[in-house]
Amino acid sequence: MSTEPKTPPAYVVTSADHALRAAVMLQLEGGLTVSRVAERLGVARSTAHRLLQTLVYRDFAVQDDQRVYHPGPVLQLATHSQSRTSRLRTAALPHLQRLVDVVGESANLTIRTGDTTRFIASVECAQALRVGSREGMVFPAHRTTAGLVLLAALDPAGVDELYAGQRYVEHPEEQPDLPSLRAQLARVRRAGFALNNGLSERGVVAIGVPVRDADGIALAGLSISMPTVRYDRHRLPSLVATLHRAAGAIEAGGGRGDMH
């Protein structure tokens, strides 16, 4: 897997991209209506209907009697195997929306699997210049904000094992510089948050904190992302505090809570 951030290919096929995004939405969220898919993708209802019918035809989706679409046979196994992820995403979405309303920037929830991270929920802000949705995307953990937060939750021996040289024999260029990564993770542990200034994507600043379970184990990373031109380092303490309050609200699993 490349350590470079993903950028859309020059030959991207819009309809295929929309269909894949709709499939990811079904896998992560379950039931969706034509109107909801149209709104999320920014397309006409007729276009969303054709996309969903194509997914039904290929067994990626099924439609119930209320015209709601659900994961089909192709996606069901993955959906069941990620039931905890699905529950976490569902519980977190209202708090992500509230976080976006408070800080005015896009928000993400991310989980780690090995040395990669996957964005399981994204809520975009309404500003014209904004960081777009990363939902469903997979990146090297050491190059994302939430990935750094989740790696920092490991003990140093766990990090060394995860990035052992033998795992990168065939792709040595993908192995991060371990001394540099250890130092970076130590800073994140001390601070309690990660600041990513252009590491994942040029021109983007992101700030992230962990979301923990009842035993204190980091389950996910909660982050906000913004264009560099809007980042004010003097706001960092208040942004981190707001993130921690939002993470606490997700952990509590109750109401939205007060993040002001």
Side-chain angles (χ1 to χ4, degrees):
M1 177 177 294
S2 172
T3 57
E4 293 302 313
K6 293 182 179 179
T7 55
Y11 51 83
V12 65
V13 179
T14 301
S15 58
D17 184 54
H18 283 157
L20 291 169
R21 287 181 62 192
V24 169
M25 288 161 57
L26 283 169
Q27 181 183 3
L28 292 176
E29 301 175 43
L32 291 169
T33 62
V34 169
S35 298
R36 182 61 173 156
V37 171
E39 177 187 354
R40 293 279 295 280
L41 296 180
V43 300
R45 281 174 52 90
S46 58
T47 301
H49 181 263
R50 289 195 297 271
L51 289 169
L52 288 165
Q53 285 297 307
T54 300
L55 292 179
V56 169
Y57 176 67
R58 292 297 182 184
D59 290 328
F60 281 80
V62 293
Q63 187 181 23
D64 64 22
D65 294 339
Q66 283 72 47
R67 298 184 178 180
V68 175
Y69 291 84
H70 302 271
V74 173
L75 297 179
Q76 281 178 351
L77 178 61
T79 299
H80 293 321
S81 68
Q82 295 183 8
S83 58
R84 186 174 72 168
T85 297
S86 299
R87 291 195 300 271
L88 176 61
R89 183 187 186 282
T90 299
L93 270 174
H95 304 295
L96 262 70
Q97 183 61 64
R98 176 62 173 161
L99 180 60
V100 171
D101 293 342
V102 170
V103 303
E105 302 293 352
S106 299
N108 297 289
L109 189 72
T110 309
I111 60 172
R112 180 183 67 85
T113 302
D115 61 356
T116 65
T117 49
R118 182 179 186 184
F119 288 76
I120 63 170
S122 288
V123 176
E124 293 184 16
C125 68
Q127 304 203 57
L129 178 62
R130 62 181 181 270
V131 178
S133 172
R134 299 293 187 266
E135 192 166 288
M137 291 186 177
V138 177
F139 293 92
H142 69 283
R143 296 188 66 84
T144 66
T145 310
L148 292 173
V149 166
L150 294 171
L151 289 173
L154 299 174
D155 59 40
V159 174
D160 290 347
E161 181 180 354
L162 185 62
Y163 291 103
Q166 60 266 29
R167 300 187 67 233
Y168 295 89
V169 170
E170 296 184 6
H171 305 282
E173 72 283 356
E174 296 180 4
Q175 184 182 21
D177 179 75
L178 272 178
S180 175
L181 180 60
R182 290 190 197 102
Q184 190 174 25
L185 296 181
R187 290 193 295 271
V188 172
R189 289 188 197 101
R190 287 195 300 269
F193 69 92
L195 173 64
N196 177 344
N197 194 341
L199 175 65
S200 303
E201 188 173 341
R202 187 176 302 169
V204 172
V205 173
I207 307 160
V209 301
V211 175
R212 303 182 185 276
D213 65 12
D215 296 321
I217 297 172
L219 295 177
L222 176 66
S223 62
I224 54 173
S225 305
M226 67 200 75
T228 303
V229 293
R230 270 206 306 273
Y231 174 62
D232 178 359
R233 63 184 179 84
H234 298 293
R235 289 187 65 204
L236 182 59
S238 65
L239 291 173
V240 171
T242 301
L243 276 165
H244 277 303
R245 284 193 287 272
I250 295 172
E251 292 165 354
R256 287 187 171 189
D258 183 8
M259 289 185 285
H260 287 287

Short mmCIF file of all heavy atoms in Angstrom, two decimals, residues 131-192:
data_model
loop_
_atom_site.label_atom_id
_atom_site.label_comp_id
_atom_site.label_asym_id
_atom_site.label_seq_id
_atom_site.Cartn_x
_atom_site.Cartn_y
_atom_site.Cartn_z
N VAL A 131 -12.59 20.61 3.63
CA VAL A 131 -12.03 19.28 3.42
C VAL A 131 -13.20 18.33 3.18
O VAL A 131 -14.12 18.25 3.98
CB VAL A 131 -11.20 18.83 4.64
CG1 VAL A 131 -10.67 17.42 4.41
CG2 VAL A 131 -10.06 19.80 4.89
N GLY A 132 -13.16 17.62 2.05
CA GLY A 132 -14.26 16.76 1.66
C GLY A 132 -14.30 15.47 2.45
O GLY A 132 -13.40 15.15 3.23
N SER A 133 -15.36 14.72 2.25
CA SER A 133 -15.57 13.46 2.95
C SER A 133 -14.48 12.45 2.59
O SER A 133 -14.11 12.30 1.44
CB SER A 133 -16.94 12.88 2.59
OG SER A 133 -17.10 11.58 3.11
N ARG A 134 -14.02 11.74 3.62
CA ARG A 134 -13.05 10.65 3.43
C ARG A 134 -13.70 9.30 3.75
O ARG A 134 -13.02 8.29 3.84
CB ARG A 134 -11.84 10.86 4.34
CG ARG A 134 -11.06 12.15 4.08
CD ARG A 134 -10.37 12.12 2.74
NE ARG A 134 -9.50 13.28 2.55
CZ ARG A 134 -9.88 14.40 1.96
NH1 ARG A 134 -11.12 14.51 1.53
NH2 ARG A 134 -9.04 15.40 1.81
N GLU A 135 -15.00 9.30 3.93
CA GLU A 135 -15.71 8.10 4.38
C GLU A 135 -15.42 6.90 3.49
O GLU A 135 -15.53 6.96 2.27
CB GLU A 135 -17.21 8.38 4.43
CG GLU A 135 -18.00 7.31 5.14
CD GLU A 135 -19.40 7.77 5.45
OE1 GLU A 135 -19.55 8.64 6.34
OE2 GLU A 135 -20.35 7.30 4.81
N GLY A 136 -15.05 5.79 4.14
CA GLY A 136 -14.76 4.56 3.42
C GLY A 136 -13.33 4.43 2.95
O GLY A 136 -12.90 3.35 2.56
N MET A 137 -12.56 5.51 2.99
CA MET A 137 -11.19 5.48 2.48
C MET A 137 -10.23 4.84 3.49
O MET A 137 -10.44 4.92 4.70
CB MET A 137 -10.70 6.89 2.14
CG MET A 137 -11.40 7.51 0.95
SD MET A 137 -10.67 9.10 0.49
CE MET A 137 -11.64 9.50 -0.96
N VAL A 138 -9.18 4.24 2.96
CA VAL A 138 -8.16 3.57 3.77
C VAL A 138 -6.81 4.22 3.50
O VAL A 138 -6.46 4.44 2.33
CB VAL A 138 -8.10 2.05 3.46
CG1 VAL A 138 -6.98 1.38 4.25
CG2 VAL A 138 -9.44 1.39 3.76
N PHE A 139 -6.06 4.51 4.55
CA PHE A 139 -4.76 5.15 4.44
C PHE A 139 -3.77 4.48 5.39
O PHE A 139 -4.17 3.84 6.37
CB PHE A 139 -4.84 6.63 4.82
CG PHE A 139 -5.64 7.49 3.88
CD1 PHE A 139 -6.98 7.70 4.10
CD2 PHE A 139 -5.04 8.08 2.78
CE1 PHE A 139 -7.73 8.50 3.25
CE2 PHE A 139 -5.77 8.88 1.92
CZ PHE A 139 -7.11 9.08 2.15
N PRO A 140 -2.46 4.62 5.13
CA PRO A 140 -1.47 4.16 6.11
C PRO A 140 -1.69 4.88 7.44
O PRO A 140 -1.87 6.09 7.48
CB PRO A 140 -0.14 4.55 5.47
CG PRO A 140 -0.42 4.65 4.01
CD PRO A 140 -1.83 5.17 3.92
N ALA A 141 -1.67 4.13 8.53
CA ALA A 141 -2.00 4.70 9.84
C ALA A 141 -1.06 5.83 10.23
O ALA A 141 -1.50 6.83 10.81
CB ALA A 141 -1.98 3.60 10.90
N HIS A 142 0.22 5.69 9.92
CA HIS A 142 1.18 6.68 10.38
C HIS A 142 1.10 8.00 9.62
O HIS A 142 1.79 8.95 9.95
CB HIS A 142 2.61 6.13 10.32
CG HIS A 142 3.13 5.92 8.93
ND1 HIS A 142 2.75 4.87 8.13
CD2 HIS A 142 4.01 6.64 8.18
CE1 HIS A 142 3.37 4.93 6.97
NE2 HIS A 142 4.14 6.01 6.97
N ARG A 143 0.24 8.05 8.59
CA ARG A 143 0.11 9.27 7.82
C ARG A 143 -1.25 9.94 8.00
O ARG A 143 -1.61 10.84 7.24
CB ARG A 143 0.37 8.99 6.33
CG ARG A 143 1.80 8.53 6.04
CD ARG A 143 2.06 8.45 4.55
NE ARG A 143 2.02 9.76 3.91
CZ ARG A 143 3.04 10.61 3.86
NH1 ARG A 143 4.19 10.29 4.43
NH2 ARG A 143 2.92 11.77 3.25
N THR A 144 -2.02 9.52 9.00
CA THR A 144 -3.29 10.16 9.28
C THR A 144 -3.33 10.61 10.74
O THR A 144 -2.65 10.05 11.60
CB THR A 144 -4.48 9.21 9.03
OG1 THR A 144 -4.44 8.13 9.96
CG2 THR A 144 -4.46 8.68 7.60
N THR A 145 -4.14 11.61 10.99
CA THR A 145 -4.25 12.16 12.34
C THR A 145 -4.76 11.12 13.32
O THR A 145 -4.16 10.88 14.37
CB THR A 145 -5.20 13.36 12.32
OG1 THR A 145 -4.81 14.25 11.27
CG2 THR A 145 -5.18 14.09 13.65
N ALA A 146 -5.89 10.50 12.97
CA ALA A 146 -6.45 9.48 13.86
C ALA A 146 -5.52 8.28 13.97
O ALA A 146 -5.43 7.65 15.03
CB ALA A 146 -7.82 9.03 13.35
N GLY A 147 -4.82 7.97 12.89
CA GLY A 147 -3.87 6.86 12.94
C GLY A 147 -2.78 7.12 13.96
O GLY A 147 -2.40 6.22 14.72
N LEU A 148 -2.27 8.33 14.00
CA LEU A 148 -1.24 8.68 14.99
C LEU A 148 -1.79 8.57 16.41
O LEU A 148 -1.11 8.08 17.31
CB LEU A 148 -0.72 10.09 14.73
CG LEU A 148 0.08 10.29 13.44
CD1 LEU A 148 0.39 11.76 13.21
CD2 LEU A 148 1.38 9.48 13.48
N VAL A 149 -3.03 9.02 16.60
CA VAL A 149 -3.66 8.92 17.91
C VAL A 149 -3.77 7.46 18.35
O VAL A 149 -3.49 7.11 19.50
CB VAL A 149 -5.06 9.59 17.89
CG1 VAL A 149 -5.86 9.21 19.13
CG2 VAL A 149 -4.92 11.10 17.79
N LEU A 150 -4.20 6.60 17.41
CA LEU A 150 -4.41 5.19 17.75
C LEU A 150 -3.08 4.44 17.90
O LEU A 150 -2.96 3.55 18.74
CB LEU A 150 -5.28 4.54 16.68
CG LEU A 150 -6.71 5.10 16.62
CD1 LEU A 150 -7.44 4.58 15.40
CD2 LEU A 150 -7.47 4.77 17.89
N LEU A 151 -2.09 4.80 17.11
CA LEU A 151 -0.77 4.19 17.27
C LEU A 151 -0.14 4.61 18.60
O LEU A 151 0.56 3.83 19.24
CB LEU A 151 0.15 4.59 16.11
CG LEU A 151 -0.18 3.98 14.75
CD1 LEU A 151 0.70 4.61 13.66
CD2 LEU A 151 0.02 2.46 14.75
N ALA A 152 -0.39 5.85 19.01
CA ALA A 152 0.16 6.34 20.28
C ALA A 152 -0.43 5.59 21.46
O ALA A 152 0.16 5.58 22.55
CB ALA A 152 -0.10 7.84 20.42
N ALA A 153 -1.59 4.96 21.26
CA ALA A 153 -2.20 4.19 22.34
C ALA A 153 -1.51 2.84 22.55
O ALA A 153 -1.72 2.18 23.57
CB ALA A 153 -3.69 3.96 22.03
N LEU A 154 -0.68 2.43 21.58
CA LEU A 154 0.09 1.19 21.72
C LEU A 154 1.33 1.45 22.55
O LEU A 154 1.84 2.58 22.60
CB LEU A 154 0.51 0.67 20.34
CG LEU A 154 -0.59 0.32 19.34
CD1 LEU A 154 0.04 -0.05 17.99
CD2 LEU A 154 -1.45 -0.82 19.86
N ASP A 155 1.84 0.40 23.21
CA ASP A 155 3.12 0.58 23.88
C ASP A 155 4.23 0.52 22.83
O ASP A 155 4.02 0.05 21.71
CB ASP A 155 3.33 -0.48 24.97
CG ASP A 155 3.28 -1.90 24.44
OD1 ASP A 155 3.82 -2.16 23.35
OD2 ASP A 155 2.70 -2.77 25.12
N PRO A 156 5.41 1.04 23.14
CA PRO A 156 6.50 1.09 22.15
C PRO A 156 6.81 -0.27 21.53
O PRO A 156 7.10 -0.35 20.32
CB PRO A 156 7.68 1.63 22.96
CG PRO A 156 7.05 2.45 24.04
CD PRO A 156 5.79 1.73 24.40
N ALA A 157 6.74 -1.35 22.30
CA ALA A 157 7.00 -2.68 21.76
C ALA A 157 5.96 -3.05 20.72
O ALA A 157 6.27 -3.69 19.70
CB ALA A 157 7.03 -3.71 22.88
N GLY A 158 4.72 -2.65 20.95
CA GLY A 158 3.66 -2.93 19.99
C GLY A 158 3.88 -2.20 18.69
O GLY A 158 3.60 -2.74 17.60
N VAL A 159 4.37 -0.97 18.76
CA VAL A 159 4.66 -0.20 17.55
C VAL A 159 5.80 -0.85 16.79
O VAL A 159 5.75 -1.00 15.56
CB VAL A 159 5.02 1.25 17.92
CG1 VAL A 159 5.48 2.02 16.68
CG2 VAL A 159 3.83 1.95 18.56
N ASP A 160 6.85 -1.27 17.51
CA ASP A 160 7.99 -1.92 16.85
C ASP A 160 7.55 -3.21 16.16
O ASP A 160 8.01 -3.51 15.04
CB ASP A 160 9.08 -2.25 17.88
CG ASP A 160 9.78 -1.00 18.40
OD1 ASP A 160 9.59 0.08 17.80
OD2 ASP A 160 10.50 -1.09 19.40
N GLU A 161 6.67 -3.96 16.79
CA GLU A 161 6.19 -5.21 16.19
C GLU A 161 5.35 -4.93 14.96
O GLU A 161 5.47 -5.63 13.94
CB GLU A 161 5.37 -5.99 17.22
CG GLU A 161 4.84 -7.33 16.70
CD GLU A 161 4.04 -8.07 17.74
OE1 GLU A 161 3.98 -7.61 18.90
OE2 GLU A 161 3.44 -9.10 17.40
N LEU A 162 4.51 -3.90 15.04
CA LEU A 162 3.63 -3.56 13.92
C LEU A 162 4.42 -3.14 12.69
O LEU A 162 4.05 -3.46 11.56
CB LEU A 162 2.69 -2.43 14.35
CG LEU A 162 1.61 -2.02 13.36
CD1 LEU A 162 0.66 -3.17 13.07
CD2 LEU A 162 0.84 -0.82 13.91
N TYR A 163 5.55 -2.47 12.91
CA TYR A 163 6.35 -1.96 11.81
C TYR A 163 7.69 -2.70 11.67
O TYR A 163 8.67 -2.12 11.20
CB TYR A 163 6.58 -0.46 11.97
CG TYR A 163 5.31 0.33 11.78
CD1 TYR A 163 4.61 0.84 12.88
CD2 TYR A 163 4.78 0.55 10.52
CE1 TYR A 163 3.43 1.55 12.72
CE2 TYR A 163 3.60 1.26 10.34
CZ TYR A 163 2.93 1.75 11.43
OH TYR A 163 1.76 2.46 11.27
N ALA A 164 7.70 -3.97 12.08
CA ALA A 164 8.93 -4.78 11.95
C ALA A 164 9.35 -4.88 10.49
O ALA A 164 8.52 -4.99 9.59
CB ALA A 164 8.67 -6.17 12.53
N GLY A 165 10.66 -4.86 10.29
CA GLY A 165 11.21 -4.84 8.95
C GLY A 165 10.75 -6.00 8.07
O GLY A 165 10.55 -5.83 6.86
N GLN A 166 10.57 -7.21 8.67
CA GLN A 166 10.20 -8.36 7.85
C GLN A 166 8.83 -8.23 7.19
O GLN A 166 8.53 -8.88 6.20
CB GLN A 166 10.25 -9.65 8.67
CG GLN A 166 9.32 -9.70 9.88
CD GLN A 166 10.04 -9.26 11.15
OE1 GLN A 166 10.96 -8.46 11.09
NE2 GLN A 166 9.61 -9.81 12.29
N ARG A 167 8.01 -7.35 7.75
CA ARG A 167 6.69 -7.14 7.15
C ARG A 167 6.77 -6.29 5.90
O ARG A 167 5.80 -6.18 5.14
CB ARG A 167 5.74 -6.48 8.16
CG ARG A 167 5.54 -7.29 9.43
CD ARG A 167 4.47 -6.68 10.31
NE ARG A 167 3.16 -6.75 9.69
CZ ARG A 167 2.35 -5.70 9.52
NH1 ARG A 167 2.73 -4.51 9.91
NH2 ARG A 167 1.17 -5.84 8.96
N TYR A 168 7.93 -5.68 5.66
CA TYR A 168 8.07 -4.76 4.53
C TYR A 168 9.16 -5.21 3.57
O TYR A 168 9.68 -4.39 2.81
CB TYR A 168 8.36 -3.34 5.04
CG TYR A 168 7.23 -2.75 5.84
CD1 TYR A 168 7.16 -2.94 7.22
CD2 TYR A 168 6.22 -2.01 5.22
CE1 TYR A 168 6.11 -2.41 7.96
CE2 TYR A 168 5.18 -1.48 5.95
CZ TYR A 168 5.13 -1.68 7.32
OH TYR A 168 4.10 -1.15 8.05
N VAL A 169 9.48 -6.49 3.60
CA VAL A 169 10.56 -7.00 2.75
C VAL A 169 10.27 -6.72 1.28
O VAL A 169 11.14 -6.31 0.51
CB VAL A 169 10.77 -8.51 2.99
CG1 VAL A 169 11.72 -9.09 1.94
CG2 VAL A 169 11.31 -8.76 4.39
N GLU A 170 9.03 -6.95 0.88
CA GLU A 170 8.67 -6.77 -0.53
C GLU A 170 8.36 -5.32 -0.88
O GLU A 170 8.37 -4.95 -2.05
CB GLU A 170 7.47 -7.65 -0.87
CG GLU A 170 7.75 -9.15 -0.75
CD GLU A 170 6.56 -9.97 -1.19
OE1 GLU A 170 5.58 -9.39 -1.69
OE2 GLU A 170 6.63 -11.21 -1.03
N HIS A 171 8.08 -4.50 0.14
CA HIS A 171 7.77 -3.09 -0.11
C HIS A 171 8.48 -2.22 0.92
O HIS A 171 7.85 -1.57 1.75
CB HIS A 171 6.25 -2.86 -0.04
CG HIS A 171 5.46 -3.75 -0.95
ND1 HIS A 171 5.37 -3.52 -2.31
CD2 HIS A 171 4.75 -4.87 -0.70
CE1 HIS A 171 4.61 -4.45 -2.86
NE2 HIS A 171 4.24 -5.29 -1.90
N PRO A 172 9.80 -2.20 0.91
CA PRO A 172 10.54 -1.46 1.94
C PRO A 172 10.25 0.03 1.95
O PRO A 172 10.38 0.68 2.99
CB PRO A 172 12.00 -1.74 1.57
CG PRO A 172 11.98 -2.12 0.12
CD PRO A 172 10.68 -2.83 -0.08
N GLU A 173 9.85 0.58 0.81
CA GLU A 173 9.57 2.02 0.74
C GLU A 173 8.33 2.41 1.55
O GLU A 173 8.13 3.59 1.87
CB GLU A 173 9.40 2.46 -0.72
CG GLU A 173 8.10 2.02 -1.38
CD GLU A 173 8.10 0.55 -1.81
OE1 GLU A 173 9.14 -0.12 -1.66
OE2 GLU A 173 7.05 0.09 -2.31
N GLU A 174 7.50 1.42 1.91
CA GLU A 174 6.29 1.71 2.67
C GLU A 174 6.51 1.71 4.18
O GLU A 174 5.63 2.13 4.94
CB GLU A 174 5.19 0.70 2.31
CG GLU A 174 4.76 0.78 0.86
CD GLU A 174 3.67 -0.22 0.52
OE1 GLU A 174 3.20 -0.92 1.45
OE2 GLU A 174 3.29 -0.32 -0.65
N GLN A 175 7.67 1.24 4.63
CA GLN A 175 7.96 1.22 6.06
C GLN A 175 8.32 2.63 6.53
O GLN A 175 9.20 3.28 5.95
CB GLN A 175 9.10 0.27 6.38
CG GLN A 175 9.38 0.14 7.88
CD GLN A 175 10.55 -0.78 8.17
OE1 GLN A 175 11.38 -1.01 7.30
NE2 GLN A 175 10.62 -1.30 9.38
N PRO A 176 7.66 3.13 7.56
CA PRO A 176 8.02 4.46 8.07
C PRO A 176 9.37 4.44 8.77
O PRO A 176 9.85 3.37 9.17
CB PRO A 176 6.89 4.77 9.05
CG PRO A 176 6.42 3.43 9.51
CD PRO A 176 6.56 2.52 8.32
N ASP A 177 9.96 5.61 8.92
CA ASP A 177 11.20 5.75 9.68
C ASP A 177 10.85 5.58 11.16
O ASP A 177 10.19 6.43 11.76
CB ASP A 177 11.82 7.12 9.42
CG ASP A 177 13.09 7.31 10.21
OD1 ASP A 177 14.12 6.73 9.84
OD2 ASP A 177 13.03 8.03 11.23
N LEU A 178 11.27 4.45 11.75
CA LEU A 178 10.83 4.12 13.10
C LEU A 178 11.28 5.12 14.17
O LEU A 178 10.48 5.49 15.02
CB LEU A 178 11.26 2.70 13.46
CG LEU A 178 10.27 1.60 13.07
CD1 LEU A 178 10.81 0.22 13.44
CD2 LEU A 178 8.93 1.83 13.75
N PRO A 179 12.56 5.54 14.20
CA PRO A 179 12.94 6.53 15.23
C PRO A 179 12.09 7.79 15.16
O PRO A 179 11.65 8.31 16.19
CB PRO A 179 14.41 6.81 14.90
CG PRO A 179 14.89 5.57 14.23
CD PRO A 179 13.72 5.10 13.40
N SER A 180 11.83 8.26 13.94
CA SER A 180 11.01 9.46 13.78
C SER A 180 9.58 9.20 14.24
O SER A 180 8.97 10.04 14.92
CB SER A 180 11.02 9.90 12.32
OG SER A 180 10.15 10.99 12.11
N LEU A 181 9.03 8.03 13.89
CA LEU A 181 7.67 7.70 14.27
C LEU A 181 7.55 7.56 15.79
O LEU A 181 6.59 8.05 16.40
CB LEU A 181 7.21 6.41 13.58
CG LEU A 181 5.79 5.94 13.90
CD1 LEU A 181 4.77 7.00 13.50
CD2 LEU A 181 5.49 4.62 13.20
N ARG A 182 8.54 6.90 16.42
CA ARG A 182 8.50 6.75 17.88
C ARG A 182 8.46 8.12 18.56
O ARG A 182 7.71 8.34 19.52
CB ARG A 182 9.73 5.97 18.35
CG ARG A 182 9.74 4.49 17.98
CD ARG A 182 10.87 3.79 18.71
NE ARG A 182 11.19 2.50 18.13
CZ ARG A 182 12.24 2.27 17.33
NH1 ARG A 182 13.08 3.26 17.04
NH2 ARG A 182 12.45 1.07 16.84
N ALA A 183 9.29 9.04 18.09
CA ALA A 183 9.34 10.38 18.68
C ALA A 183 8.01 11.10 18.48
O ALA A 183 7.52 11.79 19.38
CB ALA A 183 10.48 11.18 18.06
N GLN A 184 7.45 10.94 17.29
CA GLN A 184 6.17 11.58 17.00
C GLN A 184 5.06 11.04 17.91
O GLN A 184 4.26 11.80 18.45
CB GLN A 184 5.81 11.35 15.53
CG GLN A 184 4.63 12.14 15.02
CD GLN A 184 4.45 11.95 13.52
OE1 GLN A 184 4.87 10.95 12.95
NE2 GLN A 184 3.83 12.93 12.88
N LEU A 185 5.03 9.72 18.09
CA LEU A 185 4.01 9.11 18.93
C LEU A 185 4.20 9.48 20.40
O LEU A 185 3.21 9.63 21.14
CB LEU A 185 4.02 7.59 18.77
CG LEU A 185 3.67 7.08 17.37
CD1 LEU A 185 3.70 5.55 17.32
CD2 LEU A 185 2.31 7.59 16.92
N ALA A 186 5.44 9.63 20.82
CA ALA A 186 5.70 10.06 22.21
C ALA A 186 5.12 11.45 22.45
O ALA A 186 4.55 11.73 23.52
CB ALA A 186 7.19 10.04 22.49
N ARG A 187 5.24 12.33 21.46
CA ARG A 187 4.68 13.68 21.59
C ARG A 187 3.15 13.62 21.68
O ARG A 187 2.54 14.36 22.45
CB ARG A 187 5.12 14.55 20.42
CG ARG A 187 6.60 14.92 20.43
CD ARG A 187 6.92 16.03 19.44
NE ARG A 187 6.71 15.62 18.05
CZ ARG A 187 7.64 15.04 17.29
NH1 ARG A 187 8.84 14.79 17.80
NH2 ARG A 187 7.38 14.71 16.04
N VAL A 188 2.55 12.74 20.87
CA VAL A 188 1.10 12.60 20.89
C VAL A 188 0.64 12.08 22.25
O VAL A 188 -0.36 12.55 22.81
CB VAL A 188 0.62 11.67 19.76
CG1 VAL A 188 -0.88 11.36 19.89
CG2 VAL A 188 0.92 12.28 18.39
N ARG A 189 1.37 11.09 22.80
CA ARG A 189 1.00 10.54 24.12
C ARG A 189 1.04 11.64 25.19
O ARG A 189 0.16 11.73 26.03
CB ARG A 189 1.95 9.41 24.51
CG ARG A 189 1.76 8.13 23.71
CD ARG A 189 2.60 7.00 24.29
NE ARG A 189 2.75 5.92 23.34
CZ ARG A 189 3.82 5.72 22.58
NH1 ARG A 189 4.88 6.52 22.70
NH2 ARG A 189 3.86 4.72 21.73
N ARG A 190 2.09 12.43 25.15
CA ARG A 190 2.25 13.48 26.16
C ARG A 190 1.14 14.54 26.03
O ARG A 190 0.59 15.01 27.02
CB ARG A 190 3.62 14.15 26.05
CG ARG A 190 4.78 13.29 26.53
CD ARG A 190 6.03 14.13 26.71
NE ARG A 190 6.44 14.77 25.46
CZ ARG A 190 7.29 14.23 24.58
NH1 ARG A 190 7.81 13.03 24.81
NH2 ARG A 190 7.63 14.88 23.49
N ALA A 191 0.84 14.91 24.81
CA ALA A 191 -0.12 15.99 24.57
C ALA A 191 -1.56 15.53 24.73
O ALA A 191 -2.44 16.32 25.11
CB ALA A 191 0.08 16.57 23.18
N GLY A 192 -1.83 14.26 24.41
CA GLY A 192 -3.19 13.76 24.45
C GLY A 192 -3.97 14.04 23.18
O GLY A 192 -5.18 13.79 23.12
#
